[in-house]
Amino acid sequence: MAHQWRGVIREYAQRLPVGPATRIISLGEGGTPLVFAPALSELTGSKVYLKVEGMNPTGSFKDRGMTMAITAAVESGAEAVVCASTGNTSASAAAYATQAGIKCAVLVPDGKISMGKLSQAIAHGAELLQVNGNFDNCLDVARKLSENYPVFLVNSVNPARIEGQKTAAFEVVDFLGDAPDYHLLPVGNAGNITAYWKGYREYAESYISATAGELPAVSTKTPIMWGFQAAGSAPIVAGHPITEPDTIASAIRIGNPASWQQAETARDESGGLIDSVTDEEILAAHRWLSSKEGVFVEPASAAGVAGLLKHHAAGNVPTEKTMVITVTGHGLKDPQWALRTADGSDIEPTKVEFDVVSVANALGLTGL
Ligand code: AN7
């Protein structure tokens, strides 16, 4: 008999700050596929898996954190939430706030978020404001709004978000039987790398649960964390904030990450790295995923794969290891990038008449 996944809070209740009386707001997030990537595995000689986070209810990993953040908002009696967003956080906040029956305001950089994400926030009835500024400006205003007005902040500076997002690391270990040797992912505001590192550490150590007492370690080790920023928006790599971040990967166009320090901790404690990948490398990885692995992602989501390809070319990727790469959001969020060739020209689908000979000719088939 089929069993429905119950969402990350119910699946991992013992390891999350919830109790028996908590009203859980969930859309069934998490439980996403860990897909073996044959072409990347063949290239590197390691076993490479993709954690396909586009399979979450609103199409990105943000839902794992949002189920916790909106649950916490409701628990605190909030009637409205606010977030700044490059798009995915706003789509997720709007959906979960709708289920909770509370208001949602989102601040997005004007003209800099994809149509798919904009449509989601609007479809769910969020109060959407396009701010004349970038994401970092939006986050600054959202924080001040939550400090001075009756609105609850659901950006990843809210610890509830990190708690929910750490469940992705639990799933990886639960599916593989142990932690992977390496974990690669995109870095924007740096909440996700913070959350994965927290999850991996909690699974490798005995864990004191609020509801269940001491829980034994689940994994024997933690992975080496490799995070990748877009080259035009790579403050952690540069060592200073970027005032005018730029990249085609709009989801990670962030110049001053809120969890900067925690990302460096994850890097340093795991013996890993945070590096940058160019827009060309991101688009090549995006194309690799769709054309060789069968996985369609939005450009920012391909940054981890771009990082693997870059470091493989430089001879830095070991063989015979287990590697997990998080691909963070669905390709349908921002589909325009698929309709372009590597040299930037538009791809036009072939048009044919409705007869079998025209179709066979267009496909280059000869008769039996
Ligand atoms: C597809 O939605 O910051 O390093 O406001 O949408 O945890 O910020 C999105 C970030 C990677 C970076 N991939 O994750 C937002 C937002 C996708 C994303 C990231 C984002 P973090």
Side-chain angles (χ1 to χ4, degrees):
M1 203 176 108
H3 292 273
Q4 174 149 295
W5 177 265
R6 297 169 300 160
V8 298
I9 297 182
R10 292 190 177 90
E11 295 290 341
Y12 292 110
Q14 290 187 335
R15 290 173 180 271
L16 292 171
V18 290
T22 305
R23 179 184 157 210
I24 295 169
I25 308 300
S26 171
L27 293 167
E29 61 295 315
T32 56
L34 189 67
V35 176
F36 182 70
L40 288 171
S41 298
E42 194 185 329
L43 177 80
T44 58
S46 275
K47 275 198 180 126
V48 182
Y49 295 87
L50 304 169
K51 183 69 169 150
V52 183
E53 290 289 276
M55 295 301 287
N56 277 295
T58 77
S60 88
F61 72 98
K62 302 288 182 183
D63 295 342
R64 294 177 182 278
M66 207 53 74
T67 182
M68 274 301 309
I70 301 291
T71 293
V74 168
E75 203 155 43
S76 78
E79 287 170 11
V81 296
V82 66
C83 67
S85 182
T86 57
N88 279 325
T89 299
S90 57
S92 187
Y96 284 79
T98 296
Q99 192 189 73
I102 60 177
K103 290 202 179 77
C104 176
V106 305
L107 307 181
V108 301
D110 190 12
K112 300 289 190 189
I113 81 167
S114 79
M115 275 291 274
K117 299 170 192 176
L118 190 71
S119 331
Q120 287 179 288
I122 290 171
H124 294 303
E127 200 72 61
L128 183 127
L129 300 177
Q130 297 196 310
V131 176
N132 182 19
N134 60 31
F135 169 83
D136 305 290
N137 306 134
C138 292
L139 182 56
D140 189 41
V141 174
R143 281 192 206 238
K144 287 176 182 152
L145 199 72
S146 72
E147 284 159 14
N148 296 294
Y149 297 85
V151 287
F152 186 98
L153 185 66
V154 294
N155 278 105
S156 59
V157 291
N158 181 332
R161 281 277 309 279
I162 304 297
E163 289 297 309
Q165 284 175 215
K166 77 184 181 186
T167 60
F170 296 166
E171 289 175 21
V172 169
V173 175
D174 288 341
F175 294 168
L176 289 176
D178 202 348
D181 298 306
Y182 288 75
H183 191 112
L184 289 74
L185 76 171
V187 174
N189 210 27
N192 214 24
I193 190 170
T194 301
Y196 270 98
W197 185 239
K198 187 167 201 285
Y200 279 127
R201 286 196 42 186
E202 286 182 6
Y203 251 20
E205 295 158 8
S206 73
Y207 176 79
I208 309 300
S209 158
T211 53
E214 186 167 345
L215 300 170
V218 178
S219 56
T220 66
K221 60 184 179 189
T222 52
I224 293 168
M225 303 294 296
W226 282 10
F228 295 94
Q229 303 194 292
S233 309
I236 301 177
V237 180
H240 56 79
I242 305 294
T243 45
E244 292 190 11
D246 188 32
T247 166
I248 58 99
S250 58
I252 54 172
R253 188 185 285 140
I254 295 175
N256 192 11
S259 301
W260 187 320
Q261 201 57 55
Q262 295 90 319
E264 290 191 341
T265 300
R267 177 194 65 194
D268 298 342
E269 287 184 357
S270 75
L273 57 81
I274 294 177
D275 192 10
S276 63
V277 283
T278 64
D279 283 357
E280 291 69 32
E281 288 168 332
I282 288 172
L283 287 175
H286 175 261
R287 193 167 291 110
W288 177 295
L289 283 167
S290 54
S291 65
K292 296 186 201 284
E293 316 287 0
V295 174
F296 189 34
V297 303
E298 61 165 293
S301 302
V305 173
L308 181 75
L309 293 171
K310 174 181 172 178
H311 282 268
H312 172 74
N316 299 334
V317 174
T319 58
E320 289 172 27
K321 300 287 184 193
T322 300
M323 304 192 150
V324 172
I325 311 177
T326 303
V327 290
T328 41
H330 205 288
L332 295 175
K333 293 268 191 179
D334 198 3
Q336 57 158 325
W337 300 101
L339 301 175
R340 250 173 239 189
T341 61
D343 61 27
S345 54
D346 289 346
I347 296 172
E348 284 291 335
T350 310
K351 296 188 198 310
V352 290
E353 295 304 321
F354 54 92
D355 71 273
V356 72
V357 175
S358 305
V359 171
N361 286 344
L363 295 172
L365 299 172
T366 46
L368 298 172

